[in-house]
Amino acid sequence: MELFLQSIVNGTIQSGFFALAAVGLVLIFGVMGVVNFAHGELVMVGAYTVWFLHAQHNTPFLITIVIAISLVTVIGMLMEKFLFRPMRDDPLGGLICSIGVLFILQVAATLVGGDGPSKQVPPPFEGTMVLFDFLRIPYQRLFSIAVSIAALGLLWHFLTHTKLGWALRAVSQDREAASLQGINSNRISMIAIAVGAAMAGLAGALMAPLTNINPHMGHNVIITAFIVTIVGGVGSLSGAVIASVLYALYHTFVTTYFNGTVATISGLLIMVLVLIIRPTGIMGHRVSE
Amino acid sequence: MAILEVQNLTKKFGGLTALNDVSFKVGEGQIHGLIGPNGAGKSTMFKNIAGFYTPTRGDILFEGKSITGQTPSRISMSGIVRTFQETTLFQEMTVFENVLVGTHNRSRTNIFSAIIGLDRLIQQQARTSAMQALEFMGLEDRKHQLASELPLGSQRALAIAIALVSKPKLMLMDEPFAGMNPEETRGMMQLTRKVRESGVTIVLVEHDMKAVMGLCDQLTVLNFGTLLAGGSPEQVRNNPDVINAYLGGSHQV
Amino acid sequence: MKLSVQDLDVNYNNVAALKRISLEVSDGAFVTLIGSNGAGKSTTLRTISGLVKPSRGSIYLDDQRIDMLSADKILRLGIAHVPEGRRIFKDLSVAENLYLGAYIHQDKTQINSDLHKVYSRFPRLEERKDQHARTLSGGEQQMLSIGRSLMSRPRILLLDEPSLGLAPIIVQEIGHILREINQQGVTVILVEQNADLALQLADYGYVLETGRIAMQDKAELLANNEHVKKAYLGI
Amino acid sequence: MATHTQHPARRKFLKKAAAGTVAATTASVFPNIVLSANKTLTVGMNIPMTGDYAPWGLPGLYGCEIIANNINKEGGVTIGGETYDIKVASYDHGYDTEKALQGFKKLVLEDDASMIMMLGGSTVAAVLPWATRKKVLTTTLLPSDITPDSNYLVATCESHPLYNVTGVEWLARNFPDVKSAAIVTNNDAEYGLQSAATYQAAFEVAGIDVIDTHLHGFDVTDFAPIVSSVLAKNPDVFCMATSFYVTPIMEQLYHQGYKGKIISCTLDYYDEIIAKTSKEFVNGTIFQFPDFDDPKLQEAGVNFPDPAGFDAAFRKDHPNDWSAVAWEYPAILLNWLDAAKAAGSADSESVAATLKANKQEFVFGGGDWWGSQLWGLDNALVGRWPIVVIEDGKARIQEYGDVAGWLSNNKDVLVKHMKDLGLRTV
Amino acid sequence: MKSLTIIRNEHRSLGAVLFCLKHLVSEIDQGKHPDFRVFHGLLMYIDRFLDRYHHPKESDYLFPAILESNPELAPVIEELGRQHREGEQLFIRVLKALSAFEYCGPSQFSEFQQAVIDYTAFEYEHAHKEETEVLPIAEKFLSTESWKRIDAAFLDHQDPLFGDQPSGEFNKLYKEIVSIVPAPLGLGDAWKS
Amino acid sequence: MPGTVIRKTVAIGILFIALAILPHFLKYHHQDFLIFLVINVLVVVSYRLVTLTGEWSLIHAVMMGVGAYGSALLSKQAGLSFWISFPLAGGIAAIVAALLCFPLFRMTQFYFLIGSFAAGEAIRLSWIHFIKPFGGTSGISAIPSPELLDIDFLEPIPYFYLVLIIVTICLFLLFRIEKSRIGLTLHAVHWKASLAESIGVNTWNYRSLAFITGSFFVGLAGALKVHYIGTVTPKQFDIGFMVFILIWVIVGGYRTFYGAILGAVVLSVLDEMFREFNELRPAIYGAILIFSILYLPAGLESLPQRLKRVFGRKDRQMERT
């Protein structure tokens, strides 16, 4: 029972990261039609920023988060302006471009941090909250999950209660019809990638004190984000968030009670199964004929 | 005798009923027009016959046998070929290659004979019949051109040649005259008759009333997913229900 | 607000879709373009609203040349386009769709009063304002599409086949609504395959055939024209 | 923390870029070589210098360069009457088998390297047929690479993971209350499984029950579930068999309130772990790799010249890169030089013969050729190995354990556990 | 000539409502549960529209004008006038059958269905006759004067019969029908099967 | 017509001879590089066959691994000679591909891309997870090299000739397939699947055929590779390698047969040339990728035409007008 509850806590914390990373991928794919292979590297850049500024140069953690988000956002916006926009009608080209960015960002990280071992960031919030004598939640993780939920909530509010949010969803559903409402889809793409990249940057910054930081850490992030995106339904943000929670809990429980590799293999198989049974994912809608 | 028989066909998309209990027959060797306003269900009917949709209810008989719910390629093999509403061709291939793909049904080959060259005879036959189809449609001079470089009329003719080369018994033509000027339309009507004379039954969807009335032996009128009327062009023209549809503010038929 | 289209050519992958199209639409007019499938009606509208760029010719709104502007800029000049097939945002609520129609406007009170007007014109939309647009019936979706475009306060409204796939009484009702909109001073350019409906509604009509204007005249005269009757009215 | 901030990463980046170019052009051009009239003796390093495995390659190159530099400064090395300057030629294979094969040939045929040092695993397997055919002496850090097919592959330094037995033995001796252990490791065959099997054998011999062996992949981003699952079984000892994820696992142990003993194969960068947890928590952790400024390394029997000086020189040039391989490749190089001197030739065949014929002095002292019971050939040099414990936030050698002795008594237990995990044994 | 367009428009509106009526009856035939309010609305509209709005236009203005210029059409006009009355009889039959269906249950449905089919067929036929036999002639032979007179009457905004008030009222009525007729025919809630 | 055929044959002959003598002028380690390059040419060309129907898969590298593991196991466990295990490797890859067709070709486009990636990753993780018989991360080593007369296939030059001959035959077969009516039909499925279906082409069958055939050839490539290296590991066929295949084909140009080859050759050679930039290398590679996609969207294969256009051959334009 204790293990069960602890696993729920562990899974919930994971789901926050999954969701932050996947939401950006979904936004970018939805609005721009590009599979951003470099999305994991955006997370990585966020983590590196925290390592470099906070762990190496003693910049206060909260300020570092803001800087990480801004930096990643700027990278995302540059990608949109110089790569994805010229490639608008060529999703394959967009994908290749994003792979190019992936390589460049990995090298940039290597130059900043060296080829050495994984980087570590001492947790800015020390101590562990103990509930009922057995549930242990480190304050650092508590902070991360709180910030993730807040960020996702903010994103949800942005998408459902602001004009720009509506416009963003409109563009992802029908670019042309959106332009007929006076929506400048280039501007919306810019906002989408800015928001998506900011979420990725935030995910990286929050993960930084909790994980191994190295130039290749994006690989695992993108695989998870793909699974979550597919299971949730391509283009469905709520689907991505729900799938993140489900997948994180699933993975946590299988890892806890069986084995991590089995969890990943079966996760991939579940994804294939979802694709076969319901190609539009749990929350997606079939594009009408 | 009826080569194609649609029996009580119903097709629903979610809550929307696109076709409601429609029945009609197509006589062998005829040009049969399927008419009705946009959104009346003609295209849905076409797609059901050609196997792109599976009917919700009802049956489609071809030469007395049910083809309901079969895959498009299967239906095509039994002798029904469709052409498309907008000019649908393999734009990036040459005219000849387009028709050669069309020979697929008649002269199949497998990968091993293709590699070793055992299928030389079949290939030769395929090329010959492709060439014949081009000549039939008057496209032999353009065979090395890319399909996308043809003028509209020739593109439509090519689309028919692709369909024709698979030696169908029934050809479904989706708006063959759309976007054509009167002269092109006349040429196309000629070709359509020529195809019929070669022994192919034709079902066509069309808006151009002049062409439909002048070309078709029989008409089936759909409106709002239901069968409105059927009969010769003359009968249809005077059918009160058709007039109603017209008076009812629905589109011209 | 006079719209004038001069000598427009549009090509889609080497095929000419429009050839030398010229139109004049004066302020407050109700103009229709009729013709068969593939005649170039939709392309004409799409070119006016900036979705398609002409390969030659020009479009003027009063004295301003607009054919090089993007769709969102053209909307800001007062030309709204209700596209073929409605193209509502299915995963957004009805209200969100309508608010997006007013995307180019900032004044909240004015937007709310516009919204009120749309709701009173289409009470059904108000009943369903919080539902996802995908749950609407075809007729309701068309109402939403028109309502959405009205939210931009257009001076010129372009409509592409609003009757497509709709039942007769809704088509008639849309006809009434378009007439009302026109009577309130909005210029209407209606593209219809349903020539009968279009010529009932419009003051002036153009007949398009294979990318060219084959005929143009007052709507009543076109409705009584023998060629038009035969080719488009089914008489 | 203090050590971090003293060395801003920007400086490191510039230096690294320069080092990269030097390494790439293969000639580590030291000024004294230009002046020296000595002949050149080239040793090759066919190692990962980029990518995931770079941390197991690059520090070794830096270490060997320091050693070579020192030797050259002192006038070179004399073998068979001829004095040579040492040159370290390197090739970055990025832990890719194709590139490893190419790099190996390049180092041997084009750079004239007399001996090739490699990390081990599949990259070694890829070069081995050719190396054997061409009789190129090759060294690996993974004795499990040894096969009866090749006399020319030797493991003369790191006897991963055999040394793990000494830590367990020490633990059992000093903490007799310890009854149960749980092992966590990644599931790769070269590092993780070998080490897990060894720990299992060592615990069995020490009379400690292994209640869980948790294998995980390289895709783990969060160790919370794994650690929760293992701790739920209440082990007295928590054992980490490989180095890849020690830091995050330690962090989880800390946060999940683990109070028992911790034993780990390595504890690289333990100052970072302390920074992420607490000194009190890390104190008492048992592992196998000393810092080279450890006073116990100054004692007799240790065959590494001036460990403290080496440590200082390395940390001066490469402040953040110290890890076990930083001294292991140099130790191999030194060992090989000794053999070459004894053989009077750098020729692979003679050095190999000399290496095997003589009782070799292992880096930490002692030294027996071992391996035939497990891999079919006695090509791993096994000697004393230090048991290291964190004391007041610093790694300190407790004593030297006897790996060879343990093996001679308990090899059957080891073979059994290796077999159970599906590993190659004779 | 505006009047002619107005007559045609009204035919289309009426035709749409009749189509709707017929279609809804066929839906009941296929097992849908009817909402009788819809039929009441449709029939009320037809009743008022024909009686108070459409037929007077023809009988009081258009037909006399035609008779004036083309006396040889008298039999046709007479026939059309007779049809107006016959239509009313058929319509009454529909109303009665509806009441029977509504209060006596499904057993009465077939009579209702038949009544609707007969009535709608009759009205189409009638409208068709007007459009093909009378209107074209009116178009050709009526003098400009006559047209002006008729147009003036049709478009007289003060006229209690055709002016703004009634047309607004009918538009309102029409909107209401559209809103209650079940989707996809109208905008109302679809009938359950 | 015959003139161009002769010219083409001569050109290919010269190319072949040039390739045959090339290794003698190379540094030793570049001879190995050449072997892997020629194998990779087979990989990209077989990949292009899969993509002919318009579906981009991310499982090709893993299918190569299936062939490699198959041949390694057959020769090590069953003791079969290379000459038997090699063709069987292709067969095994083809069979695995055939089984995968059922789930995978229910999807198209983006979903197929991701679905194929997931299926491939599941297979690859299985190699890691099931140490028996796959050997986990360290894979299978000491895979014997081919034996024929007294030729020493451990030496690069003899193995190069073996690879060159086999790959040339495979390329010829692939070329035949593409130029046959089957190839034409595959193109047809890509450009207009609905039209193809309407004339009786079962698109599922053809997609599967392309996938299975492509997998067969890449399985052969995998076997060729590991019988030279002597070791097969899961890492050799990871998503990283798959991304390279994708890049080679797209940057080279997937519209023609030689575009893909061009991509593999040019990019690999460039990569090798940038070796001295060490850790900067991937970034240079990435920059080349982006540059070529932005400025050569039709791939390297379109470069000659572009150059022609730049140097003002106007006859095409005159044709138009």
Side-chain angles (χ1 to χ4, degrees), chain F residues 242-290:
Chain F
M242 185 62 236
V243 164
F244 278 109
I245 299 175
L246 195 68
I247 289 169
W248 288 333
V249 173
I250 293 175
V251 171
Y254 51 86
R255 284 170 189 81
T256 65
F257 199 75
Y258 63 90
I261 301 180
L262 206 63
V265 172
V266 170
L267 288 180
S268 303
V269 170
L270 279 178
D271 188 46
E272 190 65 22
M273 277 165 55
F274 293 130
R275 192 145 250 288
E276 57 189 275
F277 290 95
N278 228 12
E279 58 211 327
L280 288 178
R281 212 167 76 223
I284 297 171
Y285 204 84
I288 291 173
L289 276 189
I290 292 173

Side-chain angles (χ1 to χ4, degrees), chain E residues 10-63:
Chain E
E10 289 180 4
H11 281 171
R12 307 206 190 344
S13 294
L14 182 66
V17 175
L18 291 177
F19 173 83
C20 199
L21 180 64
K22 201 176 147 185
H23 196 95
L24 288 175
V25 169
S26 76
E27 289 214 331
I28 298 174
D29 198 21
Q30 281 162 26
K32 295 269 171 78
H33 293 296
D35 179 347
F36 286 96
R37 282 180 317 159
V38 175
F39 286 118
H40 292 308
L42 286 172
L43 294 179
M44 183 177 81
Y45 180 82
I46 294 170
D47 182 30
R48 292 198 187 160
F49 184 82
L50 282 183
D51 224 30
R52 296 200 204 155
Y53 198 60
H54 181 67
H55 286 166
K57 275 182 185 147
E58 295 175 344
S59 312
D60 299 356
Y61 291 88
L62 189 62
F63 293 170

Side-chain angles (χ1 to χ4, degrees), chain D residues 108-259:
Chain D
V108 173
L109 299 172
E110 291 158 36
D111 298 330
D112 246 347
S114 305
M115 177 271 287
I116 309 287
M117 291 183 270
M118 291 185 67
L119 170 60
S122 56
T123 48
V124 165
V127 305
L128 207 51
W130 195 83
T132 312
R133 168 85 59 84
K134 298 289 171 185
K135 301 183 173 159
V136 182
L137 188 61
T138 307
T139 69
T140 174
L141 297 185
L142 301 179
S144 55
D145 289 339
I146 292 169
T147 81
D149 304 328
S150 178
N151 276 317
Y152 294 90
L153 181 73
V154 293
T156 55
C157 177
E158 173 165 342
S159 25
H160 175 92
L162 303 177
Y163 48 74
N164 285 335
V165 300
T166 62
V168 174
E169 195 264 341
W170 184 89
L171 170 81
R173 185 148 38 83
N174 287 282
F175 300 91
D177 295 346
V178 165
K179 289 286 168 253
S180 63
I183 302 171
V184 171
T185 184
N186 38 276
N187 59 0
D188 67 298
E190 299 96 318
Y191 306 87
L193 296 182
Q194 295 277 349
S195 191
T198 309
Y199 270 119
Q200 284 174 349
F203 282 124
E204 184 180 325
V205 168
I208 297 170
D209 237 7
V210 176
I211 50 175
D212 190 15
T213 302
H214 193 107
L215 305 174
H216 61 80
F218 283 84
D219 56 342
V220 184
T221 43
D222 182 17
F223 278 88
I226 293 175
V227 169
S228 299
S229 127
V230 172
L231 292 192
K233 294 173 179 144
N234 285 318
D236 296 336
V237 184
F238 190 96
C239 167
M240 288 168 280
T242 39
S243 57
F244 295 90
Y245 296 106
V246 167
T247 310
I249 294 175
M250 287 288 279
E251 191 192 346
Q252 274 308 312
L253 286 171
Y254 171 72
H255 285 304
Q256 299 200 13
Y258 179 65
K259 298 276 187 281

